[in-house]
Amino acid sequence: MLRKIIYFSSLCILISGALAAQTIEPFGSFGKDTLKVGEEVTFSLSLKYQKTLTVLFPDSLADFSPFEYNSRRYFPTRTSGLYSVDSVVYLLSTFEIDSIQYLQLPVYVIKDSDSVVYFSNPDSIRLERVIKEMPQNMEPKSNISMVAIRKAFNYPYLFIALGILFFISLTVALFFGKRLIKAWKIHRLRKAHDKFAQRFFNMMRDVSSNNPNTTPEHVLAEWKKYIERLERKPISKLTTREILVLHPDDTLRDNLRKLDRVIYGGERGHDLFACFDQLMKFATDIFEKKVQSIQNGN
């Protein structure tokens, strides 16, 4: 009996050591061997890891140089036994003229309140040149076809019209300038808010109906861009924690964290429509405060 206990304990220690020693090795590769300047190409990034870990892949704010980010497509997490597999396909393009171009992307593994970065293998792609070589002797061609020439413009009339328009504008500005400016600012804000609300609700509907062209990350990015325009702060570049420093709101915190778990953690079962509805209410509150500030002359 003692021998069986010792054997079982040793086996557990070996299994634990093997799991702890697992290396995190993201794998990245281009979808083809060559591309032209400005042409789009796919770059696949995948990772096999212990299912107990939390893994984040690069988003649109990551550094893809010398390539430019266009879009990406996430694939559902596949779990088998002790391991999970995640993969993303990025759609990139390049405008550099280097003959061979390389790309290596990071993957972030969350540990406690910190993260560890693991880089994929560097993969290369060759630039296909459209113009192989310039001809040595180039012969210019003449064109003797007639070209119509416009008549001279009557600038004195233009200056008179501009002077009258300037005088009228100055008179209106002196008597009604502040009220007109306030009304114009509020009109622009309302127009932008209505446009955002329509676009936001359409995206919410697409996510609820599982439209593959619209993901929860797209909806959250649209919301961040709108708040950024309202507050003139770089909201779209801030993390959830940094946004909550600017807006310490419990409801906002809960909904942003739920969305982070869905987008970056691949969790399911959250009521995304309710989360987005709360974000819409928050955006409307910010909009109304902005309108009130303009009306008060701030």
Side-chain angles (χ1 to χ4, degrees):
M1 183 65 181
L2 179 60
R3 183 177 299 174
K4 290 181 178 180
I5 293 175
I6 294 174
Y7 173 77
F8 180 75
S9 300
S10 301
L11 181 62
C12 291
I13 292 173
L14 289 174
I15 293 175
S16 300
L19 292 176
Q22 184 205 13
T23 57
I24 304 295
E25 297 181 348
F27 178 77
S29 65
F30 286 103
K32 55 184 181 179
D33 296 328
T34 62
L35 85 162
K36 300 176 182 177
V37 172
E39 183 182 8
E40 290 186 331
V41 65
T42 59
F43 185 84
S44 303
L45 182 64
S46 61
L47 176 66
K48 181 179 180 181
Y49 58 94
Q50 295 180 34
K51 65 180 182 180
T52 56
L53 299 177
T54 300
V55 175
L56 300 180
F57 279 66
D59 60 9
S60 57
L61 301 179
D63 182 13
F64 292 89
S65 58
F67 298 88
E68 293 189 7
Y69 171 87
N70 295 329
S71 63
R72 69 180 179 278
R73 180 184 176 190
Y74 281 109
F75 292 90
T77 301
R78 303 191 306 274
T79 302
S80 177
L82 298 176
Y83 300 98
S84 294
V85 177
D86 275 329
S87 58
V88 183
V89 175
Y90 298 93
L91 193 60
L92 311 173
S93 57
T94 182
F95 296 92
E96 302 294 332
I97 58 173
D98 295 335
S99 300
I100 300 178
Q101 300 182 25
Y102 298 87
L103 182 62
Q104 184 179 29
L105 292 180
V107 172
Y108 303 90
V109 177
I110 307 300
K111 292 185 178 181
D112 299 327
S113 60
D114 199 0
S115 61
V116 180
V117 182
Y118 295 90
F119 284 91
S120 68
N121 57 294
D123 196 19
S124 62
I125 190 168
R126 184 169 57 85
L127 187 68
E128 180 180 346
R129 301 187 183 276
V130 178
I131 302 177
K132 303 302 181 181
E133 63 178 74
M134 294 292 292
Q136 295 182 353
N137 299 320
M138 295 184 292
E139 298 182 359
K141 294 183 179 181
S142 62
N143 184 355
I144 58 175
S145 59
M146 297 183 63
V147 178
I149 300 177
R150 294 182 179 181
K151 295 182 179 180
F153 188 78
N154 196 332
Y155 287 99
Y157 285 129
L158 174 63
F159 295 144
I160 292 173
L162 290 177
I164 295 174
L165 181 61
F166 175 77
F167 178 77
I168 294 174
S169 302
L170 182 61
T171 303
V172 172
L174 290 175
F175 289 96
F176 308 102
K178 291 184 178 180
R179 280 185 291 178
L180 288 175
I181 292 174
K182 287 183 181 180
W184 174 246
K185 287 182 178 179
I186 293 175
H187 170 74
R188 290 180 58 189
L189 278 177
R190 291 191 186 281
K191 186 176 181 180
H193 183 75
D194 292 341
K195 186 177 180 180
F196 159 73
Q198 182 65 41
R199 185 167 59 251
F200 192 76
F201 281 125
N202 288 340
M203 296 178 74
M204 289 169 58
R205 181 189 58 197
D206 291 343
V207 171
S208 299
S209 60
N210 296 320
N211 187 333
N213 296 323
T214 305
T215 65
E217 186 175 2
H218 292 149
V219 186
L220 181 60
E222 185 68 26
W223 176 83
K224 286 184 176 181
K225 289 179 182 177
Y226 178 66
I227 300 298
E228 182 176 275
R229 288 194 296 268
L230 279 179
E231 297 189 325
R232 299 184 181 276
K233 297 176 182 178
I235 300 296
S236 60
K237 295 180 176 61
L238 300 182
T239 63
T240 294
R241 180 179 299 178
E242 292 169 337
I243 292 174
L244 293 175
V245 172
L246 297 176
H247 299 284
D249 181 272
D250 293 339
T251 303
L252 179 64
R253 179 197 61 202
D254 295 340
N255 286 282
L256 287 179
R257 289 180 177 176
K258 286 179 183 178
L259 290 173
D260 282 347
R261 289 196 292 270
V262 170
I263 295 171
Y264 302 112
E267 291 188 8
R268 299 291 184 269
H270 294 291
D271 188 354
L272 294 179
F273 195 91
C275 292
F276 293 140
D277 186 56
Q278 290 296 327
L279 292 184
M280 184 65 209
K281 290 180 180 178
F282 180 83
T284 302
D285 290 341
I286 298 295
F287 160 74
E288 291 176 350
K289 290 178 181 178
K290 186 71 174 181
V291 171
Q292 187 66 35
S293 175
I294 293 174
Q295 290 174 342
N296 293 335
N298 298 329

